[in-house]
């Protein structure tokens, strides 16, 4: 078995590399006028966020002049802070065209206000000027400002070096040659192969199609626990291009990638690069941002017509082995745009090819290696082989075939790879004596096939059979009431009107329509005093996403007393008018039922720690911390509060509990389902998912956040103290495993930030509340997930393309030898094994019909672990990833984190904007 993996983490070896940056400051008069416009709009719309929305301006400006590598939002608030930093200046010293671009952006951005153009009339384009350049060393920054600039400067430096030899060989035999070009980005540095490469995709037994993809390479600079200097990570993914006309463009539009060898800001020649640019949808019309269209017309360039590009997404693509020229355009696939052209992600072989290219192209060296940690590897809930054919207690005659099928392993529900889909585990868990247990399920159905399948699944999973009493089903473990009711017309789309008729945006209409539908749902559903469950058959998401009723059902059913899970119909109507089951079969039914059980915090009725195999005493509370979002309610100081969760699990009774700062003061820990119901009653801030709200632009906001951090630290300490004082077994003081995820928690628990781990006692924030004896029974672990790009990829040493799993100690990365950093690599999903994934020698370019089989890597930083060896604790945290019993192994974070993350389903309000599903392809 493989013992060593190579992290995709590098440090510079070049002799005294330097960077020269030029700055642009916002002229005082421009700043005043723009801030005034932002405040006018905030007052008009009743919003509290009044800062200049530079998040929509920055991409336009950076796309117009790709040598800009960094923007500082405070540059629009303060006169001594630059707004833009660039690695070179425009050909002309003046920036008059920049003034025109910003005016056009202001006119479009603040179109809801009157007399915008008159307020801009006295702004002078000549006010914009380049500041003096500054040269400094990349390896030896002199102050905090220079250190901050490294996060853009070093990736930019490496990208430019890489482009000196832009062609890379991919594949086990280096059979593919890919040439990379720069993509404008403010997040590290991004390179993309061009022109797109053809990939064969098999659909069905005989049909083959061709997909077009580009490889995307990113360099990012990251800090690491207990290491002073940041290091470079590389990430590889693919971008899948659309080639067929888009029949429907979702609101507010789609993103295009525009390739050009002329700079838009001054019309001068440049190395061919790509600029991501939104095509905005106005009704049925597609338009480019006004500011960009006007700027290009000034410089005698022309983007392709937006409507034509949507109809023909491959505009002027280069041919293989030709130098790109002119304007080229392409639209990348996202989850909103229909069926994917091919599977996402790259293979381990592709990562190995890239890793070799980095070593050959760049002045860098790898940071350390990761050695496998030995430990017991065992399946916590092992499968059982079927002994006899299992016949479902209730079968849907409309779905069953006429001839009985031969028994298979899958016929035995106890052979399910998902533990909580096995009756032997699920039934005892549901019916064990516990507070607020599940005793009633309401099925709100639209099609009888879905209703019957849900009843059959519940009965099979919980060993139930119907009784003579209406709606009562009984089995060896207990009884359950299953009520059914047709949904009527309450799942129909909300009646969103066109803007020209309603004079309101879709989102403005949606809020009122949701409230109306929620009230109808509450009046329609039979009320229940005891918390119950509901399974609701809803319709597919409509084209106008704001018309979706899912949120109304989530809130309405919960207000009526039902935790609820939704399911789409499991049949479809053929052209001949026949109703047939979908290819997915009964999988959505199984998932819906198990997800409802998950909302009740149900775990298998077996201890979650195996003392013999884990080597850990079971007297350990499993706890985690999670930040949800901010509320509109304020505290005594009139400051909106951030709601944070603590989840704890008793590993012996498998009881799941939840608390928040408000709940803890009044009730302490409460059962998980009751906690979910409580979350719905918070007055959530509709803008609290908007990162722009988190900008700390002034001293007052920093003071507010510091105070909030102190309150949350006190809450965490009190929760941990209560756990430490609550025995799990008799006559023994328990330990507590406390876990937090870095990206989610570090703003509130700032003692978990890397710079504080390096310089401070990380537990100082807790020690003022906990005794030394309690601190000695506390284990603190900080985690980072790969999805955010903050964890390196892993390449198997001496075996390119191989896959591995387990816990690896990353050696040679921390400055202090007594500190340990681990990488947890999980095995491939059971659905990804065998012939369903790209094999060891395959590139993504060899096959678009197989899954990548990518590893979900988790970084484990052991902050505090008295009386247990680091290797053993890291291995235990790794094992908790596979101890999540709902659709095992499809989570990155260990138990009990999924309970905390899924709680967001109830941290909602009618004022929330529609969830965006605009996701880019990625491999991490």
């Amino acid at each position: 078995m493989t013992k060593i993996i190579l992290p995709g983490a590098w440090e510079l070896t070049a002799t005294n590399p330097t960077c020269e940056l030029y700055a642009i400051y916002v002229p005082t008069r421009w700043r005043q006028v723009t801030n005034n416009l932002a405040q006018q709009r905030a007052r008009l719309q009743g919003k509290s966020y009044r800062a200049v929305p530079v998040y929509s301006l920055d991409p336009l400006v950076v796309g117009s002049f790709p040598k800009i590598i960094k923007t500082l939002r405070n540059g629009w608030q303060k006169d001594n802070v630059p707004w833009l930093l660039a690695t070179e200046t425009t050909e002309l010293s003046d920036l008059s065209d920049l003034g025109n671009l910003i005016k056009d952006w202001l006119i479009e951005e603040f179109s809801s206000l009157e007399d915008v153009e008159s307020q801009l009339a006295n702004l002078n384009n000549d006010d914009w000027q380049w500041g003096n350049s500054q040269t400094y060393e990349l390896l030896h920054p002199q102050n905090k400002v220079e250190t901050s600039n490294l996060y853009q400067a070093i990736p930019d430096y490496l990208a430019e070096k890489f482009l000196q030899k832009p062609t890379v060989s991919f594949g086990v035999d280096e059979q593919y040659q890919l040439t990379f070009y720069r993509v404008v980005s403010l997040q590290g540095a991004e390179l993309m192969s061009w022109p797109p490469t053809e990939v064969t995709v098999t659909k069905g037994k005989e049909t083959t199609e061709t997909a077009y993809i580009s490889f995307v390479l990113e360099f990012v600079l990251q800090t690491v626990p207990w290491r002073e200097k940041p290091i470079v990570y590389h990430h590889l993914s693919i971008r899948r291009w659309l080639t067929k006309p888009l029949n429907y463009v979702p609101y507010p539009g789609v993103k295009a990638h525009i390739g050009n060898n002329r700079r838009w800001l001054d019309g001068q020649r440049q190395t061919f690069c790509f600029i991501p640019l939104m095509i905005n949808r106005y009704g049925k019309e597609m338009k480019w941002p006004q500011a960009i269209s006007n700027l290009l017309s000034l410089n005698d360039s022309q983007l392709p017509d937006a409507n034509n590009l949507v109809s023909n997404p491959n505009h002027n693509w280069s041919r293989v082995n030709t130098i790109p020229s002119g304007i080229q355009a392409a639209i990348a696939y996202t989850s909103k745009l229909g069926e994917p052209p091919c599977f996402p992600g790259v293979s381990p072989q592709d990562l190995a090819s890239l890793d070799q290219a980095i070593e050959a192209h760049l002045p860098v060296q790898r940071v350390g290696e990761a050695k496998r940690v030995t430990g017991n590897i065992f399946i916590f809930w092992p499968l059982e082989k079927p002994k006899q054919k299992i016949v479902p207690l209730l079968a849907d005659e409309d779905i069953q075939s006429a001839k009985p099928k031969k028994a298979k392993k899958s016929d035995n529900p106890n052979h399910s790879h998902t533990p909580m889909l096995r009756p032997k585990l699920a039934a005892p868990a549901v019916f064990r004596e516990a507070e607020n247990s599940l005793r009633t399920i309401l099925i709100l159905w639209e099609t009888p096939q879905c209703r019957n399948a849900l009843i059959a699944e519940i009965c099979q999973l919980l060993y139930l059979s119907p009784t003579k009493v209406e709606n009562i089903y009984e089995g060896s473990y207990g009884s359950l009431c299953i009520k059914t009711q047709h949904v009527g017309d309450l799942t129909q789309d909300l009646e969103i009107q066109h803007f020209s008729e309603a004079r309101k945006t879709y989102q403005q209409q949606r809020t009122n329509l949701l409230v109306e539908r929620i009230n109808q749902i509450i009046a329609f559903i039979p009320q229940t005093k005891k918390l119950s469950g509901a399974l609701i058959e809803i319709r597919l998401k409509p084209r106008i996403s704001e018309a979706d009723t899912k949120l109304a059902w989530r809130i309405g059913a919960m207000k009526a007393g039902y935790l609820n899970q939704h399911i789409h119909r499991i049949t479809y109507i053929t052209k001949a008018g026949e109703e047939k089951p979908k290819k997915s079969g009964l999988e959505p039914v199984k998932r819906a039922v198990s997800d409802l059980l998950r909302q009740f915090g149900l775990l298998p009725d077996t201890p979650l720690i195996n003392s013999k195999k884990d080597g850990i005493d079971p007297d350990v509370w499993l706890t985690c911390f999670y930040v949800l979002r901010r509320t509109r309610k304020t505290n005594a100081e009139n400051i909106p509060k951030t709601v944070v969760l603590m989840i704890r699990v008793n590993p012996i009774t498998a009881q799941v509990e939840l608390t928040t700062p408000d709940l803890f003061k009044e009730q302490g820990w409460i059962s998980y389902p009751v906690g979910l119901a409580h979350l719905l009653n918070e007055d959530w801030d509709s803008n609290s998912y908007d990162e722009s709200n988190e900008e700390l632009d002034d001293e007052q906001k920093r003071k507010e956040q510091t105070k909030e951090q102190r309150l949350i630290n006190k809450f965490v300490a009190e929760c941990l103290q209560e756990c430490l004082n609550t025995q799990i077994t008799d006559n023994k003081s328990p330990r507590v495993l406390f876990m937090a995820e870095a990206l989610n928690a570090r703003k509130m628990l700032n003692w978990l930030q890397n710079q504080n781990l390096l310089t401070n006692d990380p537990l100082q924030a807790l020690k003022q509340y906990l005794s030394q004896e309690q601190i000695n029974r506390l284990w603190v672990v900080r985690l980072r997930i790969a999805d955010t790009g903050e964890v390196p990829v892993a390449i198997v040493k001496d075996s390119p393309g191989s896959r591995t799993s387990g816990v690896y100690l990353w050696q040679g990365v921390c400055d202090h030898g007594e500190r340990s950093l681990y990488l947890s690599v999980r095995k491939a999903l059971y659905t990804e094994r065998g012939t369903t994934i790209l094999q060891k020698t395959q590139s993504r370019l060899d096959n678009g019909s197989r899954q990548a089989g990518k590893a979900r890597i988790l970084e484990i930083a052991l902050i505090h672990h008295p009386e247990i060896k680091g290797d053993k604790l890291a291995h235990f945290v790794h094992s908790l990833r596979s101890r999540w019993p709902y659709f095992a192994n499809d989570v990155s974070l260990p138990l009990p984190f999924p309970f905390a993350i899924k709680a967001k389903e109830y941290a909602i309000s009618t004022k929330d904007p529609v969830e965006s599903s605009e996701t880019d392809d990625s491999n991490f």
Side-chain angles (χ1 to χ4, degrees), residues 119-140:
Q119 297 185 56
L120 306 180
N122 294 326
L123 295 179
N124 187 350
N125 289 349
D126 294 334
D127 291 344
W128 293 94
Q129 299 292 334
W130 289 102
N132 294 328
S133 67
Q134 179 184 356
T135 302
Y136 60 92
E137 298 179 8
L138 294 178
L139 296 178
H140 305 288

Side-chain angles (χ1 to χ4, degrees), residues 519-758:
N519 290 333
Q520 293 171 345
I521 291 170
I522 294 173
F524 174 76
I525 295 179
Q527 300 296 301
T528 174
K529 292 183 180 179
K530 187 175 180 64
L531 193 61
S532 302
L535 293 163
I536 306 165
E537 185 180 2
I538 61 173
R539 301 188 179 188
L540 293 173
K541 183 171 287 189
R543 282 191 169 185
I544 298 177
S545 54
E546 286 81 1
D548 191 9
T549 61
K550 182 177 179 179
L551 185 61
W553 276 101
R554 175 73 76 197
I555 295 173
M558 186 66 259
K559 286 186 177 293
Y562 298 87
L563 290 170
N564 54 96
Q565 184 60 38
H566 310 137
I567 181 174
H568 297 302
R569 66 184 300 159
I570 60 174
T571 57
Y572 71 99
I573 307 296
T574 66
K575 291 182 179 180
E578 296 181 80
E579 190 150 3
K580 291 191 174 182
K582 292 182 178 179
K583 289 183 179 179
S584 55
L586 295 178
E587 281 304 308
V589 175
K590 294 178 181 295
R591 183 110 198 189
V593 172
S594 67
D595 275 347
L596 184 64
L597 301 186
R598 182 260 305 161
Q599 292 181 36
F600 278 83
L602 295 170
L603 292 172
D605 197 14
T606 54
L608 289 166
I609 297 177
N610 186 318
S611 56
K612 290 183 178 180
K613 295 182 178 180
D614 287 319
I616 289 177
D617 195 303
D619 290 270
V620 181
W621 284 104
L622 307 178
T623 72
C624 72
F625 172 90
Y626 197 77
V627 177
L628 277 182
R629 56 185 294 197
R630 294 183 71 78
T631 67
R632 295 178 66 87
K633 290 180 182 177
T634 57
N635 56 26
E637 289 76 25
N638 202 35
I639 302 170
K641 61 182 181 181
T642 300
V643 175
V644 300
L645 291 180
M646 284 281 287
I647 300 285
R648 77 172 180 182
V649 177
N650 183 317
I652 293 181
T653 66
Q655 185 176 6
V656 184
E657 294 175 295
L658 171 155
T659 195
T660 68
D662 285 350
L663 281 172
F664 193 77
K665 291 176 185 176
E666 300 172 2
Q667 304 178 57
W669 293 92
I670 62 176
S671 71
Y672 182 73
V674 174
L676 293 185
H678 168 82
L679 292 177
L680 197 66
N681 296 322
E682 290 282 7
D683 187 12
W684 299 106
D685 181 0
S686 59
N687 294 317
S688 60
Y689 290 128
D690 183 357
E691 291 186 1
S692 61
N693 268 353
E694 302 300 325
E695 288 290 328
L696 298 179
D697 291 334
D698 53 46
E699 187 64 27
Q700 179 61 29
K701 287 185 179 180
R702 281 190 287 272
K703 288 181 180 178
E704 291 172 3
Q705 187 182 80
T706 300
K707 183 169 185 177
E708 192 170 43
Q709 288 169 344
R710 286 199 297 268
L711 291 173
I712 289 177
N713 279 324
K714 183 174 183 292
F715 160 70
V716 169
E718 289 174 344
C719 288
L720 295 176
Q721 186 177 57
E722 206 278 337
C723 292
L724 290 163
N725 291 334
T726 303
Q727 292 182 344
I728 295 176
T729 57
D730 294 337
N731 304 319
K732 190 163 187 180
S733 297
R735 292 187 178 275
V736 173
L737 170 60
F738 173 67
M739 295 180 286
E741 195 277 311
L743 183 61
N744 173 265
R746 62 190 173 211
K747 186 170 287 186
M748 291 296 106
L749 304 183
N750 62 340
W751 46 276
L752 288 175
Q753 296 171 5
N754 286 330
Q755 66 268 29
N756 291 330
L757 292 179
L758 187 66

